[in-house]
């Protein structure tokens, strides 16, 4: 069933409900003339970034960023500011919330190194870094990479103890907390407290961002956990438990960049103990890590063509799949432990064995920009770090050099943002939505997406102008669990998507299904369920491409193809009530210019043939899970 209609105001679409995803709130059940009377669930998506670095991060400052948390918040809430290299910048629209998540290791020290703090200059290694970074150019880049490798445990050298002084870190943390509180404006803009725990043992990226529900009163009571204390995620989870026990506060963590973990992000064997995962590990990870950053500037982490060869949309800008953040190249067998879809499938296997699914996560996108600038729009892309802010030749210059593994400017991905269905714009409401996984990821566009699952959705539900109201009256939202199967019924889903008014029309909506068969083997299938135009699937079941209106030379496109809105009800034609499964929606835009095309047009440069010039942006919802006899 496909319904395409004119774009309507977002406020006319009630969103997901707050609270128990298995229940239905009275406001939905009570009949009224006005479908909006008495509702207490979100009516719009709140957009933000869980992963932004400023000059407080060691590597970001070494690369040249001079913007701090204050400038980051100002840009995010809609102000125009000056970037580190003098460019004026403003977002097309303000964000609703932001997490400044600077690295906890040596937070704030690089600025002092560059300034030549006399106390720090007593250490010969720190003094050498000061001299080389201040030289600029390739010398500074080499020094910066050395700093990163030292903190990542790749170089074999120890972090200078003088950089880990807890009194200094406490001063920096306190200043950060005061700035976050200054810019936190409940109801209008949320300045989250957070940091990045940067576990990179041997170059294997196991990074987690830690987000607080709390005010500085609680957050000030314990300093952030550092990778210098432990590279083991289980020790981070212990720190999180200790924090909540001590302060009465609430925290969560989200992992990111499994694509540079060299097979360690979603393990079946504990990389520390070398033994199969235990029920305790599964319970603890599921408790502390309810969401996963599935797309960002270092590449997309939904799936990979090697893992999903029958999915023509797998592998969106998977350009950082060469190795880890050290000198260790990628082996194909590592890939299955790095990408979200495969992890969701693995979670079904582990749940069947352990009784707990450690990889039952929702999905968000974020930038991981080290510029202080939360930019994810193709035409407004300021790069991974300040050395790659807009300039004519940035596409061909090195972003990072890890031994023989090199990443160039054009391999940066202008991605992504996190969308949250929350009742209000506050730390508490957004955090609670993340905990219940009512979130989705986009590669940058702010498309609005609803995704509900149940047993009683009908084609007529797609014609209603209240998908949220209908969705919660009959089912559960993204991030939830389908209730017990009803005899003779297949799982059904209500999916709706509304284009970003600043971006491209929609090509299609797909549902990605993963399941565990009776022999314990996992499978996946991608279904096209709604699409624009009068296309029909071919003999191979594949839907023909939507077309392409991009003028690469001018970096322009038209919305003469695609649809502004897609909404449908889909019933799983292959549903088996005896098998565990998950479902998530993937919304694909029409082709639009990539940031490289905008750069080529603006600067009049010709890039090499390997550089992609167009992109098909997309959104990934959090899954809905089905468990037999739930």
């Amino acid at each position: 069933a496909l319904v395409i209609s004119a774009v309507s105001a977002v406020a006319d679409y009630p969103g997901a409900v707050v609270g128990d995803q298995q229940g239905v709130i009275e406001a939905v059940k009570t009949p009224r003339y006005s479908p909006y009377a008495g509702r207490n669930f979100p009516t719009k998506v709140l957009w933000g970034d869980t992963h932004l670095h400023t000059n407080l991060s060691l590597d970001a400052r070494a690369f040249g960023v001079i913007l701090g948390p204050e400038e980051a918040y100002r840009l995010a809430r809609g102000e125009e500011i000056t970037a580190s290299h003098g460019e004026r910048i403003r977002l097309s629209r303000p964000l609703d919330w932001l997490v400044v998540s600077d690295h906890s290791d040596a937070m704030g020290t690089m600025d002092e190194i560059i300034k030549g703090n006399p106390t720090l200059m007593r250490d010969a290694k720190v003094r050498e870094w000061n001299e080389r970074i201040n030289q600029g150019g390739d010398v500074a880049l080499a020094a910066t990479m050395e700093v990163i490798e030292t903190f990542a445990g790749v170089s074999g050298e120890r972090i200078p103890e003088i950089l880990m002084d807890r009194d200094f870190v406490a001063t920096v943390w306190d200043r950060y907390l005061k700035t976050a509180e200054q810019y936190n404006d409940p109801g209008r803009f949320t300045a989250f407290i957070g940091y990045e725990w940067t576990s990179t043992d041997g170059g294997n990226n196991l990074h987690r961002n830690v987000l607080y529900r709390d005010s500085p009163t609680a957050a000030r009571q314990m300093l952030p956990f550092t990778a210098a204390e432990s590279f083991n995620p289980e020790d981070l989870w212990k720190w999180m438990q200790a924090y909540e026990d001590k302060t009465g506060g609430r925290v969560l963590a989200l992992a990111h960049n499994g694509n540079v973990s060299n097979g360690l992000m979603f393990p079946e064997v504990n990389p520390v103990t070398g033994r199969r995962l235990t029920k305790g590990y599964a319970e603890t990870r599921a408790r502390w890590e309810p969401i996963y950053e599935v797309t960002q500037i270092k590449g997309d982490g939904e799936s990979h063509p090697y893992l999903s060869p029958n999915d023509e949309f797998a592998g969106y800008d998977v350009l950082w799949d060469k190795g880890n953040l050290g000198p260790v190249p990628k082996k194909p067998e590592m890939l299955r432990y790095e990408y979200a879809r495969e992890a969701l499938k693995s979670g079904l296997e582990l749940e069947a064995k352990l009784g707990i699914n450690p990889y039952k996560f929702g999905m968000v996108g974020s930038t991981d920009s080290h510029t202080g600038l939360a930019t994810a729009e193709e035409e407004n892309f300021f790069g991974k770090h300040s050395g790659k802010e807009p300039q004519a030749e940035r596409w061909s210059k090195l972003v990072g050099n890890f031994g023989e593994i090199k990443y160039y400017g054009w391999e940066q991905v202008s991605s992504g943002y996190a969308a949250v269905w929350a009742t209000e714009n506050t730390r508490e409401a957004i955090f609670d939505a993340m905990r219940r996984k009512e979130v989705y990821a986009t590669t940058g566009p702010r498309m609005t997406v609803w995704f509900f699952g149940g047993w009683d959705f009908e084609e007529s539900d797609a014609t209603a102008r209240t998908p949220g109201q209908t969705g919660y009256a009959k089912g559960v939202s993204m991030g939830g669990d389908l209730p017990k199967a009803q005899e003779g019924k297949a799982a059904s889903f209500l999916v709706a998507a509304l284009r970003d008014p600043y971006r491209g029309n929609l090509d299609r909506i797909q549902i990605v299904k993963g399941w565990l068969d009776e022999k314990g083997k996992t499978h996946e299938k991608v279904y096209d369920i709604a699409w624009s135009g009068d296309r029909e699937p071919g003999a191979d079941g594949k839907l023909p491409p939507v077309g392409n209106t991009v003028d690469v030379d001018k970096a322009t496109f038209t919305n003469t193809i695609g649809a502004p809105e897609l909404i449908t009800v889909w019933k799983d034609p292959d549903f088996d009530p005896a098998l565990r499964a998950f479902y998530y929606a993937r919304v694909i835009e029409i082709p639009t210019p990539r940031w490289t095309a905008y750069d080529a047009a603006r600067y009049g440069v010709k890039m090499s043939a390997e550089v992609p010039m167009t992109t098909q942006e997309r959104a990934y919802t959090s899954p809905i899970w089905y468990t037999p006899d739930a």
Side-chain angles (χ1 to χ4, degrees):
L2 169 63
V3 176
I4 305 173
S5 61
V7 179
S8 300
V10 173
D12 290 338
Y13 288 73
V17 72
V18 167
D20 183 2
Q21 294 238 348
Q22 303 296 340
V24 179
I25 61 171
E26 195 63 31
V28 171
K29 292 166 54 179
T30 304
R32 291 186 175 92
Y33 180 83
S34 171
Y36 312 116
R39 67 185 178 194
N40 64 350
F41 46 85
T43 58
K44 67 176 182 178
V45 176
L46 297 178
W47 291 95
D49 185 350
T50 66
H51 194 177
L52 182 67
H53 296 270
T54 72
N55 65 357
L56 296 183
S57 285
L58 188 92
D59 53 352
R61 182 64 186 94
F63 278 122
V65 65
I66 61 174
L67 306 183
E70 181 174 351
E71 290 84 4
Y73 293 132
R74 288 176 53 211
L75 180 78
R77 70 181 191 179
E79 296 182 37
E80 183 175 305
I81 69 169
T82 302
S84 294
H85 293 285
E87 286 269 3
R88 297 295 291 173
I89 178 174
R90 171 177 275 169
L91 299 181
S92 67
R93 293 147 285 176
L95 294 176
D96 298 299
W97 54 272
L98 177 68
V99 186
V100 172
S101 57
D102 282 303
H103 298 296
S104 56
D105 285 272
M107 184 182 289
T109 59
M110 182 52 73
D111 199 43
E112 296 300 311
I113 293 173
I114 292 173
K115 290 177 181 177
N117 181 300
T119 300
L120 300 183
M121 292 305 104
R122 296 173 185 168
D123 185 281
K125 175 55 68 176
V126 174
R127 188 166 61 252
E128 179 193 340
W129 287 343
N130 162 270
E131 294 169 353
R132 292 166 63 196
I133 291 173
N134 280 312
Q135 284 186 50
D138 291 341
V139 174
L141 175 61
T144 299
M145 297 309 302
E146 183 179 308
V147 171
I148 293 170
E149 290 171 356
T150 299
F151 276 78
V154 175
S155 68
E157 296 188 30
R158 295 181 60 84
I159 301 168
E161 291 186 10
I162 200 167
L163 300 181
M164 309 304 290
D165 181 78
R166 293 182 66 82
D167 289 338
F168 176 78
V169 172
T171 300
V172 174
W173 183 239
D174 189 64
R175 187 169 68 245
Y176 163 80
L177 294 176
K178 289 177 180 178
T179 305
E181 194 66 6
Q182 175 187 347
Y183 283 91
N184 190 52
D185 187 5
R188 296 184 180 182
F189 180 80
T190 294
F192 268 103
I193 296 168
Y195 67 88
E196 180 173 355
W197 174 73
T198 316
S199 173
T200 323
D201 191 12
N204 296 319
N205 186 312
L206 295 178
H207 299 183
R208 266 79 168 172
N209 289 350
V210 178
L211 280 63
Y212 294 68
R213 191 178 188 268
D214 312 319
S215 72
T217 302
R220 188 174 285 114
Q221 295 181 44
M222 287 178 63
L223 291 179
F225 192 63
T226 67
E229 295 171 80
S230 175
F231 281 133
N232 186 351
E234 292 178 87
D235 290 330
L236 172 67
W237 303 334
K238 291 176 183 177
W239 178 94
M240 296 170 73
Q241 183 66 65
Y243 170 83
E244 291 198 352
D245 291 343
K246 179 176 181 176
T247 69
R250 297 284 303 281
V251 287
L252 62 80
L254 65 155
H256 58 86
N257 275 133
N259 60 326
V260 283
S261 72
N262 272 7
L264 296 181
M265 182 55 77
F266 301 110
E268 294 177 356
V269 173
N270 190 314
V272 176
T273 65
R275 299 176 180 174
R276 305 291 295 183
L277 297 187
T278 64
K279 183 177 182 179
Y281 176 99
E283 288 176 332
T284 307
R285 181 159 181 163
R287 164 165 165 63
W288 294 116
E289 299 187 7
I291 56 178
Y292 176 63
E293 183 186 291
V294 74
T295 183
Q296 62 129 279
I297 206 165
K298 291 200 290 294
D300 200 77
E302 184 223 3
S303 194
H304 191 283
Y306 178 84
L307 302 170
S308 304
N310 296 320
D311 178 4
E312 68 265 41
F313 288 100
Y316 178 82
D317 266 352
V318 288
L319 302 172
W320 287 55
D321 61 351
K322 305 172 187 179
N324 62 6
L325 294 180
V328 183
K330 187 76 64 190
K331 296 179 181 178
E333 59 267 25
M334 297 174 177
L335 294 171
R336 65 169 296 199
Y337 304 108
E338 298 185 345
Y339 287 83
R341 189 187 304 175
E342 203 67 27
L344 292 168
K345 289 160 60 179
S346 177
L348 300 180
E349 290 184 275
L350 291 167
E351 184 179 42
K353 296 173 183 176
L354 303 174
I356 297 290
N357 184 346
Y359 306 136
K360 195 172 182 179
F361 49 77
M363 296 194 278
V364 296
S366 285
T367 65
D368 193 14
S369 290
H370 284 54
T371 58
L373 308 170
T375 62
E377 296 168 312
E378 303 292 334
E379 75 280 9
N380 198 30
F381 180 54
F382 270 64
K384 166 69 175 172
H385 56 71
S386 64
K388 293 296 169 284
E389 290 183 14
Q391 53 186 286
E393 299 300 326
R394 65 170 170 166
W395 70 274
S396 62
K397 303 298 183 183
L398 279 173
V399 176
N401 183 359
F402 302 95
E404 297 300 314
I405 300 172
K406 295 175 171 49
Y407 299 100
Y408 292 91
W410 67 269
E411 295 175 297
Q412 300 171 102
V413 185
S414 183
S415 184
Y417 281 141
V420 178
W421 287 106
T423 49
E424 58 184 0
N425 192 348
T426 63
R427 287 171 179 157
E428 296 80 8
I430 297 172
F431 182 98
D432 292 346
M434 291 178 179
R435 283 291 320 171
R436 63 179 182 267
K437 310 180 186 78
E438 282 195 78
V439 297
Y440 62 94
T442 84
T443 55
R446 303 189 199 182
M447 59 185 82
T448 304
V449 184
W450 299 262
F451 181 47
F452 297 94
W455 304 107
D456 298 310
F457 289 113
E458 303 171 351
E459 288 188 15
S460 60
D461 292 328
T463 64
R465 306 310 300 157
T466 56
Q469 193 97 356
T470 304
Y472 261 102
K474 290 188 171 185
V476 298
S477 180
M478 61 182 79
D481 293 273
L482 289 171
K484 187 174 181 179
Q486 298 183 16
E487 187 173 351
K489 292 186 176 182
S492 59
F493 300 87
L494 172 62
V495 194
L498 189 68
R499 57 161 277 202
D500 180 336
Y502 281 39
R503 299 297 303 167
N505 276 339
L506 306 180
D507 169 3
R508 68 188 75 190
I509 298 176
Q510 300 176 310
I511 282 185
V512 178
K513 177 186 177 182
W515 71 95
L516 185 71
D517 69 19
E518 63 278 358
K519 296 180 180 180
K521 183 179 179 181
T522 61
H523 305 267
E524 66 176 62
K525 187 172 182 179
V526 180
Y527 300 84
D528 290 311
I529 66 168
W531 55 86
S532 63
D534 58 1
R535 293 173 288 167
E536 294 293 336
D540 60 356
K542 299 291 186 182
L543 188 68
V546 68
N548 192 334
T549 68
V550 175
D551 184 327
V552 172
D553 292 338
K554 297 178 181 178
T556 60
F557 71 99
T558 66
N559 272 324
T560 53
I561 59 174
E565 172 188 313
L566 295 170
I567 181 170
T568 192
V569 167
W570 177 79
K571 293 185 179 181
D572 181 359
D574 306 307
F575 181 72
D576 185 333
L579 304 181
R580 300 174 190 272
F582 66 80
Y583 305 80
Y584 65 87
R586 183 170 65 181
V587 182
I588 309 289
E589 276 190 0
I590 65 171
T592 53
R594 192 174 183 264
W595 72 266
T596 43
Y598 285 107
D599 267 25
R602 283 171 177 158
Y603 295 116
V605 298
K606 183 173 179 58
M607 301 182 187
S608 58
E610 64 184 338
V611 179
M613 289 292 175
T614 63
T615 183
Q616 280 193 267
E617 309 255 30
R618 70 257 337 255
Y620 311 116
T621 72
S622 292
I624 293 173
W625 287 267
Y626 169 72
T627 304
D629 302 319

